Amino acid sequence: MNSPNFGSSMVSMEVLREAGSTISLLCYNLAKEVAEFRGQVEEQLPSDWNDAIIGMKASDVARNGSGHSASIVLDWANRAQVFLPALMLRKLQERYTGYPGRLLSAIFSTHIRYETQQLITANTMMDFRLPSDTLSALSMKANISAEIWSDPMSSLSGNVFW
């Protein structure tokens, strides 16, 4: 145990312990800020708010003037927009179990969340998404119907996701 490297390992462990404590405190403070922000937003909304009250609406985007809706635009009070394939919107409507009148808000915020997550994690060790071909094969061959760490915007029809 008189190895010259043993003492330097102990210093490294102390540095790592301190770094872990600092990161833990930072994450805790950020989580507190998010909770406080949510409380402030909730105070500004009436308890019976719905999509119309906050200015959330959906519109068809016609394909090449054909009149067929290829995609839907979710518009939040002319502040931000999200485009979705019409089929995806229908699938999400089928799966929705939240408050009536808040479907568009739920889809909009979910889309933004996963889009942001993808921007941060793409091509990193934190990207846990399976390719769609793999998901299809698991569903058909192994009768898998649940997706963990999945993006609800791209999960297979009929599957549940977390």
Side-chain angles (χ1 to χ4, degrees):
M1 293 262 178
N2 291 334
S3 167
N5 291 335
F6 181 72
S8 64
S9 297
M10 292 302 288
V11 172
S12 296
M13 288 300 290
E14 289 300 318
V15 169
L16 289 173
R17 186 176 297 132
E18 183 64 31
S21 295
T22 301
I23 290 172
S24 174
L25 186 60
L26 177 65
C27 289
Y28 174 77
N29 287 331
L30 288 172
K32 237 170 55 173
E33 286 180 32
V34 168
E36 289 171 3
F37 177 73
R38 179 182 177 152
Q40 292 170 356
V41 169
E42 287 174 344
E43 287 174 4
Q44 296 174 13
L45 291 172
S47 60
D48 61 344
W49 72 271
N50 60 37
D51 290 335
I53 289 173
I54 64 168
M56 187 65 67
K57 60 186 172 191
S59 305
D60 291 335
V61 178
R63 181 186 343 183
N64 298 334
S66 68
H68 281 105
S69 176
S71 55
I72 306 293
V73 61
L74 300 181
D75 185 292
W76 175 44
N78 296 321
R79 294 180 185 168
Q81 295 179 334
V82 166
F83 292 84
L84 300 170
L87 179 60
M88 181 187 298
L89 179 66
R90 283 194 298 278
K91 287 180 180 180
L92 291 170
Q93 284 174 318
E94 292 170 4
R95 295 176 177 171
Y96 182 68
T97 60
Y99 294 109
R102 296 183 183 178
L103 170 70
L104 299 178
S105 300
I107 293 172
F108 182 89
S109 61
T110 301
H111 190 279
I112 295 294
R113 176 185 183 261
Y114 282 97
E115 191 175 70
T116 303
Q117 179 184 8
Q118 179 59 28
L119 287 171
I120 294 169
T121 63
N123 300 319
T124 70
M125 296 291 287
M126 297 186 306
D127 190 356
F128 294 109
R129 294 173 305 124
L130 290 175
S132 59
D133 290 344
T134 303
L135 289 173
S136 294
L138 287 170
S139 182
M140 288 187 299
K141 306 267 188 212
N143 203 25
I144 304 291
S145 62
E147 298 177 34
I148 299 176
W149 293 101
S150 183
D151 176 347
M153 299 297 167
S154 61
S155 64
L156 298 177
S157 178
N159 281 8
V160 294
F161 52 85
W162 289 276

